């Protein structure tokens, strides 16, 4: 039974609630279909528990920004929070979370975020990535593990003062565990675990999940059709300098637009991290009791009609004004919004810019002729990632002088 004045939604079944309304492999299409049927704020029963799904910029801002404190909790009785030891990402809103968040932000800053030293760390890691790519010139390679390792090394250097070789067996296992956990954490077995508490101690696949957790941003290589225009901009701005700096983004509106458009379309964390209400509250005229599970459909905001010039296609113009200057629409929320928004945004942005610019400056990335058409069906977990794919790497014919000397 829905509480009084609760958002509308499909009729639930006993015990299972609305689980049969969602594809357990990838429910994103179902979330969008229900959005069209029930509006920007609707409800679902995940087993016996009611959850509210928030869609579109207007409702998202009312919840996450205007009523930030009411919506900043994290549910405590679900699979991912039982799997991890709370820490910060899954900690409920309160003094302990606040202290962890403050400490983490301060530590990131002390270790150089927003300063030259973090740039140097990222640029240093890119040298290893380039060396590995150079060994594969002309060959076909599957780059996903390489990019995972590069991103993981940057945060490992901040946290542990060390990096791992790309073929190091320890880090390969850790990254693999993270990928598997992410699939299990948002997958069908986790949903059943959350919905039907009595099955929690049975020997089912959620028992296999490892305890490794961290955040590894997905890197999206720019599409080949756009790379030449990016490369012209990179060559013009960097001229003879030996490396890019993060400040160069101010003179590279097209590059910035491409990176942001990749992030918009890739939609890497489509349902954010679940929130819950910290007190009885209202949203778009509906009443939500304290403790209601909140699911942010970030996908709905990143593709919302009326917020983007071309919501349904890949088009860097979504981030360019008529003068060709970079602009960021308010619907660009891949890191969420409000007090729980991604703490790593600054680092992720710096990595995306420096890695993309440095690699595009030196290499040409080609879809192999014999690879067939790309399969864009995403692999669904906490993050959406591409299916394993192959690409070819070539050195660019027209190099900036500093690179042709090496
Ligand atoms: C492109 C890369 C990334 C994306 C798209 C992303 C996205 C997100 C999203 C959507 C959330 C949930 C926000 C919410 O609950 O409202 C989140 C939380 C978080 N992210 Fe990221 N993230 C990225 C990279 C990173 C990196 C590199 C770090 C670490 C330095 C990081 C650390 C965190 C933390 C600690 C939280 C939890 C914050 C809290 O609960 O207060 N993220 N991220």
């Amino acid at each position: 039974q829905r509480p009084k004045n609760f958002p509308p939604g499909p009729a639930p079944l006993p015990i299972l609630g609305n689980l049969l309304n969602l594809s357990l492999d990838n429910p994103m299409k179902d979330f969008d279909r229900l959005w069209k049927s029930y509006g920007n704020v609707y409800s679902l029963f995940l087993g016996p528990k009611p959850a509210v799904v928030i869609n579109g910029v207007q409702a998202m801002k009312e919840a996450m920004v205007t009523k930030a404190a009411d919506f900043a909790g994290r549910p405590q009785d679900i699979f991912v929070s039982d799997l991890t030891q709370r820490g910060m990402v899954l900690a409920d809103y309160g003094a302990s979370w606040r202290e962890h968040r403050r400490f983490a932000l301060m530590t990131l800053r002390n270790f150089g975020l927003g300063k030259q030293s973090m740039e140097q760390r990222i640029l240093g890691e890119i040298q290893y990535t380039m060396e590995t790519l150079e060994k594969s010139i002309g060959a076909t390679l599957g780059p996903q593990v390489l990019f995972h390792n590069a991103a993981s090394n940057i945060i490992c250097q901040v946290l542990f003062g060390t990096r791992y070789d790309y073929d190091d067996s320890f880090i390969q296992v850790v990254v693999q565990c993270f990928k598997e956990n992410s699939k299990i954490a948002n997958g069908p077995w986790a949903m059943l675990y959350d919905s039907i508490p009595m099955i929690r101690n049975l020997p089912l696949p959620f028992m296999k999940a490892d305890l490794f957790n961290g955040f590894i941003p997905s890197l999206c290589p720019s599409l080949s059709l756009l790379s030449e225009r990016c490369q012209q901009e990179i060559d013009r701005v960097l001229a003879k300098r030996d490396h890019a700096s993060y400040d160069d983004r101010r003179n590279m509106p097209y590059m910035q637009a491409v990176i942001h458009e990749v992030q918009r379309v890739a939609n890497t964390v489509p349902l954010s991290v679940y929130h819950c209400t910290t007190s009885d509250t209202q949203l778009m005229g509906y009443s939500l009791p304290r403790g209601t599970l909140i699911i942010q459909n970030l996908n709905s905001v990143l593709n919302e009609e009326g917020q983007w010039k071309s919501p349904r296609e890949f088009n860097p113009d979504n981030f360019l004004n008529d003068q060709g200057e970079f602009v960021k629409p308010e619907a660009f929320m891949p890191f969420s919004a409000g007090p729980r928004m991604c703490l790593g945004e600054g680092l992720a942005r710096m990595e995306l810019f420096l890695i993309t610019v440095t690699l595009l400056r030196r290499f040409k990335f080609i879809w192999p002729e014999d690879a067939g058409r790309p399969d864009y069906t995403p692999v669904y977990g906490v993050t959406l990632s591409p299916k394993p794919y192959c690409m070819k790497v070539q050195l660019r014919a027209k190099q900036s002088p500093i690179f042709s000397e090496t």
Side-chain angles (χ1 to χ4, degrees):
Q1 185 105 52
R2 289 183 159 81
K4 200 162 166 264
N5 192 30
F6 204 61
L13 293 172
I15 303 178
L16 290 176
N18 295 113
L19 281 185
L20 300 185
N21 294 86
L22 303 173
S23 150
L24 294 179
D25 276 342
N26 181 352
M28 290 315 298
K29 279 205 181 108
D30 303 313
F31 279 112
D32 286 348
R33 183 174 44 77
L34 293 166
W35 173 34
K36 298 285 170 295
S37 308
Y38 294 99
N40 286 336
V41 181
Y42 65 84
S43 62
L44 280 175
F45 281 80
L46 300 180
K49 242 184 285 172
V52 167
V53 186
I54 305 183
N55 301 270
V57 172
Q58 195 194 354
M60 202 68 81
K61 277 179 63 185
E62 180 179 333
M64 299 300 147
V65 182
T66 317
K67 297 182 176 157
D70 289 356
F71 285 85
R74 293 271 192 232
Q76 295 303 301
D77 184 31
I78 61 169
F79 176 67
V80 276
S81 39
D82 285 356
L83 175 70
T84 59
Q85 278 142 23
R86 305 294 192 271
M88 183 214 325
V89 182
L90 299 169
D92 208 357
Y93 189 59
S96 165
W97 162 76
R98 203 168 288 114
E99 198 180 321
H100 273 88
R101 185 156 175 127
R102 236 184 254 141
F103 174 78
L105 278 170
M106 190 183 73
T107 309
L108 275 176
R109 263 196 301 270
N110 288 348
F111 279 93
L113 191 62
K115 300 187 211 137
Q116 286 275 312
S117 53
M118 191 65 91
E119 286 193 50
Q120 292 314 321
R121 210 171 275 132
I122 297 170
L123 290 167
E125 185 58 38
I126 302 174
Q127 292 307 316
Y128 292 99
T129 317
M130 296 216 290
E131 271 171 31
T132 311
L133 286 172
E134 271 159 28
K135 287 186 201 138
S136 308
I137 296 293
T140 301
L141 79 153
Q144 275 174 309
V145 174
L146 174 68
F147 289 139
H148 282 163
N149 282 349
S152 130
N153 267 340
I154 292 165
I155 196 73
C156 282
Q157 285 183 62
V158 176
L159 294 178
F160 316 126
T162 185
R163 66 175 298 281
Y164 297 88
D165 288 338
Y166 294 154
D167 54 6
D168 184 290
S169 55
F170 169 73
I171 200 67
Q172 281 182 356
V173 170
V174 169
V175 171
Q176 188 58 29
C177 285
F178 179 81
K179 273 169 64 183
E180 294 299 324
N181 278 0
S182 146
K183 263 191 242 159
I184 296 175
N186 259 28
W189 289 106
M191 277 210 197
L192 289 175
Y193 179 101
D194 293 345
S195 312
I196 313 171
M198 63 194 131
I199 65 169
R200 291 183 181 181
N201 290 323
L202 299 180
L204 293 168
F206 41 70
M207 287 292 186
K208 278 198 303 205
D210 294 88
L211 279 177
F212 179 80
N213 264 280
F215 272 79
I216 300 170
S218 308
L219 271 183
C220 313
S222 296
L223 306 180
S224 57
L225 281 175
L226 310 161
S227 53
E228 259 177 44
R229 194 164 157 195
C230 292
Q231 283 160 335
Q232 282 166 10
E233 194 178 64
I234 294 168
D235 290 347
R236 180 176 53 74
V237 174
L238 298 190
K240 294 187 176 176
R241 269 192 288 139
D242 63 348
H243 62 79
S245 92
Y246 192 40
D247 270 347
D248 289 322
R249 71 191 185 287
R250 300 184 207 290
N251 299 316
M252 293 191 194
Y254 191 73
M255 188 72 247
Q256 278 275 78
V258 168
I259 292 173
H260 282 72
E261 182 64 352
V262 167
Q263 250 199 302
R264 185 186 75 83
V265 172
N267 179 26
T268 35
V269 194
L271 297 179
S272 184
V273 179
Y274 292 169
H275 285 229
C276 88
T277 49
T278 55
S279 54
D280 293 352
T281 186
Q282 300 269 319
L283 181 61
M284 306 285 278
Y286 296 113
S287 307
L288 277 56
R290 178 186 175 167
T292 306
L293 179 69
I294 300 292
I295 302 178
Q296 296 171 270
N297 183 358
L298 294 181
N299 186 45
S300 71
V301 182
L302 295 173
N303 294 298
E304 192 172 2
E305 296 288 341
Q307 300 292 336
W308 304 96
K309 289 181 194 161
S310 316
R312 298 274 156 208
E313 66 186 51
F314 183 96
N315 183 355
D317 284 349
N318 279 320
F319 292 90
L320 295 168
N321 65 15
D322 293 345
Q323 288 73 48
E325 292 157 346
F326 173 72
V327 282
K328 193 160 32 165
E330 64 168 357
F332 184 71
M333 284 188 195
F335 297 98
S336 183
R340 293 306 294 240
M341 83 179 281
C342 178
L343 178 132
E345 175 179 5
L347 177 60
R349 295 221 146 293
M350 201 184 251
E351 289 180 16
L352 282 167
F353 182 79
L354 290 175
I355 295 176
T356 317
V357 166
T358 310
L359 296 186
L360 274 182
R361 188 186 195 195
R362 183 141 180 79
F363 301 105
K364 203 167 151 186
F365 298 102
I366 300 161
W367 186 259
E369 303 98 45
D370 56 356
R373 285 172 65 80
D375 179 356
Y376 293 117
T377 320
V379 180
Y380 176 79
V382 174
T383 54
L384 283 186
S385 49
K387 283 189 170 170
Y389 63 95
C390 286
M391 66 181 194
K392 269 187 165 167
V393 195
Q394 282 178 0
L395 282 177
R396 281 180 66 206
K398 229 177 84 192
Q399 294 270 316
S400 77
I402 192 77
F403 278 129
S404 42
E405 282 161 20
T406 54

